[in-house]
Amino acid sequence: MHKAVYLSLGSNLGDRAENLQTAIAKLAEFGNVVAVSSFYETEPIELTAQPWFLNCAIKFETEKMPRQLISTILNLEQSMGRQRKQKKGPRTIDIDVLLFGTSIIEIPSLTVPHPRLHERRFVLEPRAEIAPDARHPIFKRTVRELRDALPAGQTVKKVAR
């Protein structure tokens, strides 16, 4: 059975746009990429002394179960040169599972919905572009409502791809 999964992709090393496009193409080998947001240039948060990110969101349909999907994503990140040397540090590619259908998942390698999804403009802005009325399974608010409730602060600018 196909599950609709929403992913957030980000890159701030190398050719950021190419990294996102490569990751999207590789993900298509493991399911069906249904929608891709525009790319957004975003300032780093938490660890701010690093290059700005390019982010996007995708809707992805897969038959993989959550553990299989996160394993596939981690392998994909590693194959694209992701090195986990510094928490929140620069990376060629970062792929986060935001939602997995309407499931609430807590396993050692994966928490869904993403625990900080509702706090991150760099995630909500692209996600609102492709699924503004999708509801958060815990907060019961739409992506648009969550985005509109964020305080001003983080710079997120749509860019042409």
Side-chain angles (χ1 to χ4, degrees), residues 18-46:
E18 183 177 311
N19 292 340
L20 294 180
Q21 291 165 341
T22 297
I24 293 165
K26 288 181 181 273
L27 285 165
E29 297 172 13
F30 306 106
N32 184 27
V33 176
V34 177
V36 180
S37 75
S38 300
F39 290 177
Y40 290 78
E41 183 137 39
T42 65
E43 66 181 313
I45 58 172
E46 296 178 42

Side-chain angles (χ1 to χ4, degrees), residues 40-102:
Y40 290 78
E41 183 137 39
T42 65
E43 66 181 313
I45 58 172
E46 296 178 42
L47 181 62
T48 58
Q50 62 180 315
W52 281 43
F53 283 85
L54 201 60
N55 292 91
C56 71
I58 70 169
K59 181 179 181 183
F60 179 70
E61 290 180 344
T62 185
E63 291 184 0
K64 290 188 178 291
M65 297 305 291
R67 286 182 209 276
Q68 294 171 306
L69 180 62
I70 195 63
S71 177
T72 298
I73 287 171
L74 293 172
N75 288 336
L76 171 55
E77 288 178 340
Q78 186 175 20
S79 77
M80 290 184 63
R82 169 107 190 238
Q83 297 178 8
R84 297 177 185 271
K85 293 180 179 177
Q86 180 181 24
K87 189 172 178 151
K88 307 290 183 190
R91 54 211 99 147
T92 52
I93 193 69
D94 182 40
I95 304 171
D96 288 331
V97 179
L98 303 176
L99 294 176
F100 195 98
T102 57

